[in-house]
Amino acid sequence: MRMISTARDKQWMSRAVALAERGRLTTSPNPMVGACIVKNNRLIAEGYHAEYGGEHAEAMALRKAGRRARGAVLYVTLEPCSTWGKTPPCDQAVKKSGIRRVIIGTLDPNPKHHAKGLAHLKKQGIAVSHGLFADEIQRQNEAFFKLMKTGLPFVTLKMAQTLDGKIAARNGSSRWITSAPARNLVHHLRREHDAVLVGKNTLMQDDPRLWTNLPPVKGRADKPWRIVIDSQGKISSTARVFSGNQWTLVAVSEKKSSKGIAGRIASGKNMSILFLPEKNGKLDLKELLKQIACLGVMRLLVEGGGELAWSLFNEKLVDRAYWMVAPKVLGGRASKTSVEGDGFVRLSDAVLGEFEQSFSVGPDWVFVTRFSSGHGNKK
């Protein structure tokens, strides 16, 4: 049932949400989850999901609480699991612990598990309610919720441009549009994502490494993975995207000869080739997203150029954009712009987003925009 929350309930669920946030860099493709065990308004134990495949938040809190959990209240941000996965089902552990009441932030979005943990707890005679801070928790786990509902990763587009919308000068040079502080922010974005995607043009023009200069995260030393869209398989094996310990995936048209492409671009380590169908003469981007989601990519950062940005917007595949704007003017009809392609015919067709925040980074500005459920939110 939906709950009528008290100030104390809000206090402890807020703490559970904060605990869940500790797993932001390490749980993908699992959700971030936090849990608190409380008795007589005193914290007995707490836990959070620390890493993919590791102990669940409820299990950690219950282990720490031991016998003290009997008669207590469990606050957990996401519905306890009811099936075996990499760990035992949490609803059984809750039953054995003697917990008398469970307050759930939001239900599991996975159709296979949705509301089942809640139902099992009720059958075991435990008082259960849900819905406290549901919107906040769903936003915290927006990538997981999208993956469970659509089978697609959460797509964030990063674009660096001048005031007049240019991403490169007319000779193709683009280093650097934005300042060092803005570029450092990009490294933080990369570390938060499972993979970084670029197109062939960006790769050939800039030869990026798509790495992060930040300290490696435990269990994610090979992240983010690097994905290159190169329908003709013309990328050179000497490209810097093949350097380092990160895995690189090259997406190629299924119409090409696998033997010829493998021989031309295989670098001998940490790389694979993914053959994809074409759509309107280009690689099917939605199919690409489906395939990489199956590989474990829940959060995808796109750092391509104007053509790739247009394709993603046109296919309604962008969930959020980080638009970094430098106080510079390049001008020039031949200068590359941030979104190119054919463009929409009418102004009324424009993709409409919702500003989430804006802030300055060094001399530059960053505008963060959300697009409704990855479907473009046309109005």
Side-chain angles (χ1 to χ4, degrees):
M1 68 174 181
R2 287 279 178 174
M3 66 174 297
I4 299 175
S5 59
T6 66
R8 289 181 175 179
D9 289 332
K10 292 179 180 178
Q11 171 192 347
W12 295 117
M13 186 60 78
S14 178
R15 185 179 183 94
V17 172
L19 286 166
E21 191 63 29
R22 296 181 184 180
R24 176 164 293 279
L25 299 179
T26 53
T27 61
S28 182
N30 282 355
M32 293 171 276
V33 185
C36 294
I37 297 176
V38 179
K39 184 185 292 185
N40 298 325
N41 202 38
R42 291 182 58 193
L43 181 67
I44 301 299
E46 59 187 20
Y48 69 99
H49 186 40
E51 60 184 352
Y52 173 67
E55 191 175 34
H56 286 193
E58 310 94 303
M60 179 186 291
L62 290 169
R63 174 176 54 79
K64 291 179 178 179
R67 295 180 180 179
R68 295 176 297 161
R70 184 163 300 278
V73 179
L74 169 65
Y75 294 85
V76 60
T77 57
L78 189 69
E79 177 183 8
C81 60
S82 58
T83 58
W84 276 86
K86 291 183 177 294
T87 59
C90 290
D91 62 341
Q92 297 301 317
V94 174
K95 168 64 176 177
K96 293 178 181 179
S97 71
I99 289 286
R100 67 175 178 83
R101 184 183 175 208
V102 177
I103 297 177
I104 299 169
T106 189
L107 299 181
D108 192 331
N110 189 334
K112 295 180 180 179
H113 305 145
H114 182 75
K116 290 184 178 179
L118 180 144
H120 289 176
L121 291 173
K122 287 183 177 179
K123 286 181 180 179
Q124 293 162 355
I126 299 172
V128 187
S129 55
H130 70 93
L132 183 59
F133 291 0
D135 290 344
E136 180 178 344
I137 295 165
Q138 289 173 22
R139 179 57 65 92
Q140 182 181 54
N141 283 294
E142 58 191 357
F144 178 74
F145 273 73
K146 184 189 177 186
L147 181 65
M148 290 298 102
K149 292 178 179 179
T150 69
L152 302 175
F154 191 92
V155 177
T156 298
L157 174 67
K158 186 277 296 182
M159 190 63 67
Q161 67 169 52
T162 60
L163 279 174
D164 54 339
K166 308 300 183 180
I167 61 174
R170 63 182 183 179
N171 68 354
S173 61
S174 60
R175 293 184 176 176
W176 297 101
I177 294 289
T178 51
S179 63
R183 299 197 299 274
N184 188 55
L185 173 60
V186 174
H187 282 272
H188 282 274
L189 285 174
R190 288 176 182 173
R191 189 167 69 158
E192 291 181 5
H193 288 76
D194 301 309
V196 182
L197 171 69
V198 296
K200 179 192 67 177
N201 292 339
T202 297
L203 190 90
M204 296 183 71
Q205 182 66 44
D206 298 340
D207 194 21
R209 283 184 289 175
L210 303 180
W211 67 308
T212 175
N213 60 10
L214 300 171
V217 177
K218 180 182 177 181
R220 285 174 54 92
D222 64 334
K223 296 290 183 71
W225 294 340
R226 301 168 291 195
I227 304 174
V228 179
I229 296 177
D230 180 17
S231 62
Q232 301 302 308
K234 294 183 178 181
I235 180 177
S236 169
S237 62
T238 62
R240 295 201 302 169
V241 76
F242 294 122
S243 63
N245 296 320
Q246 298 159 262
W247 182 49
T248 301
L249 179 68
V250 182
V252 177
S253 171
E254 62 184 10
K255 295 181 180 180
K256 305 302 292 183
S257 166
S258 61
K259 183 177 180 180
I261 290 174
R264 183 161 58 249
I265 68 177
S267 62
K269 70 169 187 176
N270 297 333
M271 72 85 60
S272 299
I273 300 171
L274 175 64
F275 291 93
L276 293 171
E278 293 186 6
K279 181 179 179 181
N280 299 324
K282 297 182 178 181
L283 291 188
D284 188 332
L285 290 179
K286 190 168 185 178
E287 183 61 27
L288 170 63
L289 296 185
K290 288 180 180 178
Q291 293 291 336
I292 63 174
C294 292
L295 295 174
V297 175
M298 186 170 74
R299 302 187 188 101
L300 176 68
L301 180 65
V302 179
E303 295 190 31
E307 292 294 334
L308 180 55
W310 161 252
S311 296
L312 289 166
F313 277 121
N314 192 40
E315 292 290 325
K316 307 175 185 177
L317 296 173
V318 179
D319 294 290
R320 178 176 286 116
Y322 277 74
W323 230 267
M324 301 180 177
V325 182
K328 302 174 182 178
V329 174
L330 270 174
R333 297 184 186 88
S335 300
K336 293 291 184 180
T337 57
S338 53
V339 182
E340 299 194 320
D342 294 330
F344 294 112
V345 176
R346 296 174 295 272
L347 185 59
S348 59
D349 293 332
V351 177
L352 179 62
E354 179 181 353
F355 276 120
E356 288 188 330
Q357 60 175 317
S358 61
F359 53 91
S360 61
V361 180
D364 308 316
W365 276 89
V366 180
F367 299 92
V368 185
T369 305
R370 174 68 182 260
F371 298 94
S372 179
S373 302
H375 294 287
N377 194 28
K378 286 187 180 181
K379 292 184 178 180

